[in-house]
Amino acid sequence: MLLRGLSLTAQIVATFLGLLFVTFLIGRVMPIDPVLAVVGDQASEATYRAAYQEMGLDRPLYQQFFGYLTDIFSGDFGVSRVTSSPVLEDIARVFPATLEMATLATILGVGLGIPAGVVAATHAGRWPDFLLRVFSLLGFSIPIFWLGLMGLSLFYGQLGWVGGPGRLDIYYQNLVPQITGVLLIDSLIAGNLEVFWNAVNHLILPVSVLAYHSMAYISRMTRSFMLEQLGQEYITTARVKGLSETRVVWRHALGNIKIPLITVISLSYATLLEGTVLTETVFSWPGLGLYITNALLAADMNAVLGGTIVVGIVFVGVNLLSDFLYRFVDPRAK
């Protein structure tokens, strides 16, 4: 057990160091001069040279890398050129918006995707299976930005059933203090139900778009795992013993695919948490994906690299969580 823990720790450290090395290289090979990004292209040669030396770019690469590591581990991700605020503060401000949307979309995708996959597997080759495969294929095939635009045009622009872009209508903004950054929670803490329901109204469409994409993936994988289990001998034995079909399918077969399902759900959640760029752009959702996109367009490399590191940390964190869940749901994995 101790060796396993040490091995896992070593893997995490190696992964994180590798991530930092890659982001460091990205900052050096990008066709953007970091000095000009700070001083501007109208600066004099003397100003340019002074900034060049102050940023440590005259030092050997290995010294620059160790300096980069020192800054990161001390929590210094630099200052954003766009917002003039520390990058870490910016990320702490925008990440809760992505967390809120991604978590709700994953919950909805799991809640609908797993039952749909089970039903499709138990009706393989029949119309429920056919409908699910068509539905999930559309979920993979339709560009997510197009689906978001059509949803906005129809349900917001034409019918007025849901809220439009952004997290709140303009007259509800800044009415509740930011405690967690998650509007649904903050509005409930403040006891402001008007803000709560307005936030829900704005979440419906982007969450539904992401949940559809997540459900398509989860349902297809659930169907595949279930088909494999339903062909096993222990399922035949359970049926011969007279167990009900409901118990055979939902307890025995579904119970034996918990581990691969955790992996699938974790990957889906991590992908959404990293910031679904197109969805956040279409819905003007002030999350991590939109922040990194705007920073990249503005050549704000501190913000881009800081966001990239956070994305890597999210993937490592979700992998750790899934590893814990493996051992929780299946003691044999300890």
Side-chain angles (χ1 to χ4, degrees), residues 151-223:
L152 278 174
S153 175
L154 177 61
F155 298 108
Y156 169 65
Q158 300 294 326
L159 301 175
W161 290 353
V162 297
R167 299 180 75 187
L168 288 171
D169 290 336
I170 190 169
Y171 41 88
Y172 285 113
Q173 293 180 8
N174 302 317
L175 290 183
V176 297
Q178 287 194 11
I179 300 174
T180 66
V182 178
L183 266 176
L184 296 184
I185 296 176
D186 289 346
S187 58
L188 288 177
I189 292 175
N192 194 323
L193 292 182
E194 288 189 19
V195 173
F196 174 81
W197 288 115
N198 190 257
V200 169
N201 201 31
H202 281 260
L203 275 164
I204 290 174
L205 198 52
V207 166
S208 298
V209 170
L210 290 179
Y212 179 33
H213 185 75
S214 179
M215 175 191 171
Y217 173 56
I218 292 172
S219 63
R220 283 175 66 90
M221 298 306 297
T222 302
R223 175 185 181 276

Side-chain angles (χ1 to χ4, degrees), residues 7 30 42 54 81 124 140 149 174 177 181 186 191 197 201 204-205 225 236 242 264 269 292 312 317:
S7 175
M30 285 286 288
Q42 301 298 321
E54 184 179 349
R81 179 189 177 192
F140 278 112
L149 288 172
N174 302 317
D186 289 346
W197 288 115
N201 201 31
I204 290 174
L205 198 52
F225 297 149
T236 304
V264 168
Y269 188 43
I292 295 175

Side-chain angles (χ1 to χ4, degrees), residues 24 39 52 80 82 121 145 189 276 278 285 287 317 327:
F24 172 78
V39 302
Y52 187 84
S80 168
V82 175
F145 71 89
I189 292 175
T276 308
L278 293 177
W285 197 262
R327 289 176 285 172

Side-chain angles (χ1 to χ4, degrees), residues 108-142 211-227 230 250 261:
L108 191 57
V110 171
L112 296 176
I114 291 178
V118 171
V119 170
T122 55
H123 295 79
R126 288 177 280 176
W127 67 266
D129 183 30
F130 174 76
L131 285 180
L132 173 77
R133 283 187 289 172
V134 171
F135 191 71
S136 60
L137 180 62
L138 289 174
F140 278 112
S141 303
I142 298 176
Y212 179 33
H213 185 75
S214 179
M215 175 191 171
Y217 173 56
I218 292 172
S219 63
R220 283 175 66 90
M221 298 306 297
T222 302
R223 175 185 181 276
S224 177
F225 297 149
M226 285 293 294
L227 285 175
L230 291 173
W250 293 95
L261 269 184

